């Protein structure tokens, strides 16, 4: 396989992603075409490049020879600005913010937005506390630095103030956090204020971790009374008969979902959103109606998530209600709403980035697995880009000790074919069946390539809140935590080992 050309692209919202091309573009127009396609840019734009000759300032790109492999480009929207100083694209970005439908008072007073848009940070920031608490901590940290004295007589008011401050910071990311995330919070607290370290504890923060867990639990009880949907969905009256215990069947983010169960926009009700959903059934039958569908799908996102999470409908029934979702562009959009991460562009660019190292790792594998890998990868050097990607993905399944045939299989289209899991046929149609002797459901058709089908299947798992196929759990964990870089801190040993080898 040829070594891919990689650019770092700074998007309109300030985030960045990789742009991977099979060869260096021959002209600026060709580069613009790739950027527009992979980064899903809708508005007119220009590109700027980071010029090392002028202190890494960004200058307008006027000639393709001004850039080279692995350089940084920035997208600048060319749409005219409004009276308020925001371009139309900026206004669109603002309109999608979690505080769009809140009143100004609610935006400042609500402790947690109805749709948080911040993924869990790599480094947790410890906020400032009340003035008196910060002053006491400053003095105690100074004493610890001088003679190692720990602050053992923390009064209840001070401890409550610290936990409340941590709680408000945690709520920026969600109302449910994992044990590892709680540990990250209190570890950061101890690192910033070493005087709070606990004597007699191996880690130094066991009691703090328990106290934070209790604080979050009590706060969720308060949110449940208020009616926060992400919490009320787990109330006992909403659980089925066999799971009416607090710890059973908890519906919460488990794969780095940022907007897991948002509330309805302010001024919208279930009835008004249902009316929009019904109009969407007519809109999908109209040609060249993409923009109208896009706006309505954006607005009804909360209704869709509450149906998926709360009602857990059959896939066939959900597709009948939301046919607009089963489209490549809309799956990309839905995945980004849920995770804030671009789907197709990041998945494929990351796969291309790691392909060379993956091939080296695969070639070093011995035994029966090594022979299977050799068979899968035979002739890959002469493959086109998509064919090469397909072989790398198949080889990844083999390397993980899983069968590519459980994911990718060619078969005649027969609606009664028994299948146990989700599979992608070579005929470029994505089907799904949730059990043996259950009919196949065609989800997407006319897919350009098998790698694109892999991407769309991964996106649909998030959009439909499905579990990873049991027989392919390691492969999908690699997709999530290595390619998409989501929830990387909870990787299994096998995934962590492979990732470390890739990054050597």
């Amino acid at each position: 396989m040829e070594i891919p050309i990689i650019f770092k692209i700074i998007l309109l919202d300030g985030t960045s992603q990789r742009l991977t091309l099979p060869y260096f573009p021959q002209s600026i127009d060709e580069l613009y075409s790739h950027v527009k396609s992979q980064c899903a840019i809708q508005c007119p734009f220009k590109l700027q490049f980071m010029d090392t000759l002028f202190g890494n300032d960004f200058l307008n790109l006027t000639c393709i020879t001004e850039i080279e492999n692995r350089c940084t480009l920035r997208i600048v929207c060319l749409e005219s600005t409004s009276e308020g100083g925001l371009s139309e694209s900026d206004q669109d970005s603002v309109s999608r913010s979690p505080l769009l439908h809140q009143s100004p008072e609610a935006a400042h007073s609500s402790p947690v937005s109805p749709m948080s848009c911040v993924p869990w940070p790599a480094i947790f920031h410890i906020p400032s506390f009340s003035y008196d608490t910060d002053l006491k901590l400053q003095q105690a940290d100074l004493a610890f630095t001088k003679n190692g004295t720990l602050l053992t007589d923390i009064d209840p008011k001070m401890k409550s103030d610290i936990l409340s401050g941590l709680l408000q910071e945690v709520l920026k990311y969600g109302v449910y956090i994992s044990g590892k995330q709680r540990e990250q919070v209190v570890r950061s607290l101890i690192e910033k204020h070493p005087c709070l370290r606990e004597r007699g504890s191996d880690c130094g923060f066991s009691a703090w971790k328990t106290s934070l867990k209790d604080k979050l639990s009590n706060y969720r009880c308060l949110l449940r009374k208020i009616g926060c949907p992400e919490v009320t969905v787990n109330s006992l009256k909403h659980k089925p008969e066999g799971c009416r215990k607090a710890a059973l069947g908890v519906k919460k983010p488990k794969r780095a979902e940022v907007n897991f169960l948002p509330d309805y926009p302010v001024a919208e009700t279930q009835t008004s959103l249902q009316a929009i959903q019904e109009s969407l059934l007519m809109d999908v039958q109209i040609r060249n109606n993409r923009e109208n569908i896009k706006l309505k799908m954006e607005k009804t996102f909360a209704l869709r998530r509450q149906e998926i999470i709360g009602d857990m409908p059959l896939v066939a029934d959900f597709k009948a209600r939301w046919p607009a979702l089963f489209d490549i562009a809309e799956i990309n959009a839905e995945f980004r709403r849920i995770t804030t991460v671009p789907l197709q562009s990041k998945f494929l660019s990351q796969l291309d980035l790691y392909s060379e190292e993956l091939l080296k790792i695969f070639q070093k594998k011995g035994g029966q697995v090594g022979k299977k890998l050799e068979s899968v990868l035979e002739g890959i050097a002469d493959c086109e880009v998509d064919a090469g990607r397909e072989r790398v993905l198949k080889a990844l399944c083999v390397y993980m000790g899983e069968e590519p045939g459980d994911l990718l299989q060619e078969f005649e289209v027969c609606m009664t074919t028994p299948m146990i899991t989700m599979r992608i046929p070579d005929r470029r149609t994505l089907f799904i069946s949730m059990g043996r002797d259950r009919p196949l459901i065609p989800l997407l058709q006319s897919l350009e390539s098998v790698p694109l089908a892999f991407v769309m299947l991964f996106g649909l798992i998030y959009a439909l809140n499905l579990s990873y196929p049991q027989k392919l759990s390691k492969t999908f964990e690699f997709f999530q935590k290595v390619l998409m870089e989501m929830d990387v801190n909870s990787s299994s040993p096998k995934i962590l080992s492979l990732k470390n080898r890739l990054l050597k």
Side-chain angles (χ1 to χ4, degrees):
M1 293 179 63
E2 297 182 4
I3 298 177
I5 304 299
I6 302 172
F7 299 114
K8 176 183 176 181
I9 306 292
I10 300 177
L11 303 174
L12 294 171
D13 60 2
T15 60
S16 303
Q17 73 178 61
R18 293 188 183 96
L19 175 73
T20 305
L21 306 177
Y23 56 86
F24 199 89
Q26 301 300 308
S27 65
I28 289 183
D29 289 340
E30 184 178 358
L31 176 61
Y32 270 61
S33 177
H34 287 297
V35 171
K36 184 176 181 179
S37 174
Q38 291 197 31
C39 300
I41 304 300
Q42 304 294 331
C43 65
F45 68 96
K46 67 180 178 182
L47 290 175
Q48 296 182 331
F49 71 102
M50 183 181 288
D51 195 334
T52 56
L53 297 178
F54 292 93
N56 290 335
D57 285 346
F58 281 95
L59 306 182
N60 291 338
L61 179 62
T62 58
C63 179
I64 198 67
T65 58
E66 292 174 329
I67 61 174
E68 57 186 15
N69 191 18
R70 298 181 183 274
C71 76
T72 299
L73 304 175
R74 181 169 68 181
I75 299 173
V76 179
C77 183
L78 292 178
E79 292 180 347
S80 59
T81 56
S82 64
E83 294 181 0
L86 291 176
S87 68
E88 291 178 12
S89 62
D90 291 332
Q91 291 175 338
D92 184 57
S93 175
V94 170
S95 72
R96 297 177 192 167
S97 74
L99 300 179
L100 161 67
H101 301 292
Q102 292 183 327
S103 65
E105 295 81 5
H108 292 288
S109 63
S110 175
V112 56
S113 71
M115 191 173 85
S116 62
C117 280
V118 185
W120 187 263
I123 300 175
F124 188 85
H125 169 72
I126 299 299
S128 297
F129 306 116
S130 64
Y131 177 75
D132 58 314
T133 296
D134 277 338
L135 184 60
K136 291 177 182 177
L137 288 173
Q138 183 180 359
Q139 294 171 346
D141 285 336
L142 183 60
F144 177 85
T145 302
K146 288 182 177 180
N147 50 36
T149 303
L150 296 174
L151 187 59
T152 56
D153 56 340
I154 305 177
D155 62 83
K157 179 180 178 301
M158 181 179 178
K159 184 174 182 179
S160 177
D161 184 37
I162 293 173
L163 290 172
S164 296
L166 294 178
L167 173 69
Q168 294 304 314
E169 192 68 20
V170 165
L171 290 175
K172 295 178 181 179
Y173 311 104
V175 295
Y176 291 99
I177 63 174
S178 67
K180 287 189 176 182
Q181 289 170 335
R182 284 199 308 273
E183 181 174 322
Q184 182 183 353
V185 173
V186 294
R187 187 185 296 277
S188 297
L189 174 67
I190 297 303
E191 289 174 354
K192 183 175 181 179
H193 300 293
C195 65
L196 296 176
R197 183 176 296 274
E198 299 162 0
R199 183 178 286 117
S201 170
D202 292 338
C203 59
F205 50 73
S206 296
W208 282 109
K209 186 176 178 181
T210 301
S211 296
L212 180 60
K213 180 181 179 180
D214 294 340
K215 188 78 173 180
L216 280 165
S217 179
N218 292 336
Y219 194 78
R220 285 195 294 268
C221 290
L222 174 62
L223 292 179
R224 187 176 296 113
K225 294 176 182 178
I226 297 173
C228 174
E230 196 166 348
V231 179
T232 55
V233 73
N234 291 315
S235 61
L236 295 182
K237 68 178 181 179
H238 285 97
K239 292 189 176 185
E241 290 293 337
C243 294
R244 293 204 168 172
K245 292 184 179 180
L248 294 180
V250 177
K251 299 174 181 178
K252 63 180 180 180
K254 296 177 181 178
R255 295 189 299 250
E257 297 97 337
V258 176
N259 299 316
F260 180 70
L261 191 58
D263 200 355
Y264 298 141
V266 173
E268 297 289 353
T269 64
Q270 184 176 4
T271 302
S272 65
L273 294 177
Q274 289 281 13
I276 298 175
Q277 179 269 327
E278 291 173 3
S279 68
L280 271 167
L281 295 176
M282 302 295 296
D283 291 335
V284 295
Q285 302 177 29
I286 302 174
R287 292 184 178 182
N288 303 320
N289 199 25
R290 172 69 190 138
E291 283 303 314
N292 188 34
I293 292 173
K294 178 182 175 181
L295 291 173
K296 290 184 178 181
M297 289 294 286
E298 182 83 29
K299 195 165 189 177
T300 54
F301 172 62
L303 177 65
R304 233 169 10 261
R305 291 303 291 176
Q306 294 202 23
E307 285 185 16
I308 281 287
I309 306 300
D311 301 336
M312 296 186 293
L314 295 174
V315 175
D317 295 341
F318 189 78
K319 185 182 179 185
R321 276 184 54 78
W322 299 96
L325 177 63
F326 296 85
D327 169 82
I328 293 176
E330 201 51 54
I331 291 172
N332 274 294
E334 192 83 347
F335 185 87
R336 190 156 194 166
R337 294 180 194 114
I338 296 169
T339 67
T340 74
V341 177
L343 173 59
Q344 183 177 337
S345 59
K346 181 157 188 175
F347 189 106
L348 294 178
S349 64
Q350 288 283 92
L351 178 63
D352 292 339
L353 177 68
Y354 288 125
S355 287
E356 186 178 359
E357 287 301 318
L358 281 170
L359 290 175
K360 291 179 181 178
I361 293 171
F362 296 158
Q363 289 164 1
K364 293 178 181 178
K365 189 70 174 178
Q368 292 298 317
V369 173
K371 291 180 180 179
K372 290 183 68 174
L373 286 170
E374 185 178 351
S375 175
V376 170
L377 297 173
E378 183 178 0
I380 191 172
D382 301 322
C383 289
E384 295 181 353
V385 173
D386 282 330
R389 288 168 172 169
E390 179 182 341
R391 296 197 185 192
V392 171
L393 289 168
K394 287 181 178 179
L396 177 66
C397 292
V398 174
Y399 184 84
M400 292 294 173
E402 299 169 340
E403 286 295 329
D406 287 330
L407 180 62
L408 184 67
Q409 184 181 48
E410 182 174 355
F411 56 88
E412 297 297 329
V413 178
C414 174
M415 297 306 291
T416 59
T417 302
M419 296 181 69
I420 300 175
T421 185
M422 294 166 274
R423 296 183 183 177
I424 306 165
D426 288 332
R427 295 177 183 274
R428 311 296 189 260
T429 300
L430 179 60
F431 288 84
I432 186 173
S433 175
M434 301 309 293
R436 187 175 297 277
D437 298 326
R438 300 282 288 276
L440 292 174
I441 303 168
L443 298 184
L444 287 171
Q445 297 178 320
S446 302
L447 294 170
E448 296 175 358
S449 65
V450 171
L452 179 59
F454 273 82
V455 177
M456 291 299 105
L457 176 56
F458 185 77
L460 278 168
I461 287 175
Y462 275 79
L464 303 178
N465 195 40
L466 302 174
S467 299
Y468 290 151
Q470 188 173 3
K471 293 183 178 180
L472 295 158
S473 59
K474 294 299 180 188
T475 299
F476 276 85
E477 185 186 355
F478 180 88
F479 292 168
Q480 175 193 324
K481 297 179 180 179
V482 179
L483 296 187
M484 302 303 294
E485 300 177 313
M486 300 190 306
D487 195 21
V488 295
N489 293 328
S490 62
S491 301
S492 66
K494 189 163 188 174
I495 296 300
L496 188 58
S497 175
L498 178 55
K499 182 179 180 181
N500 291 336
R501 294 183 67 184
L502 288 173
L503 297 177
K504 281 184 179 179

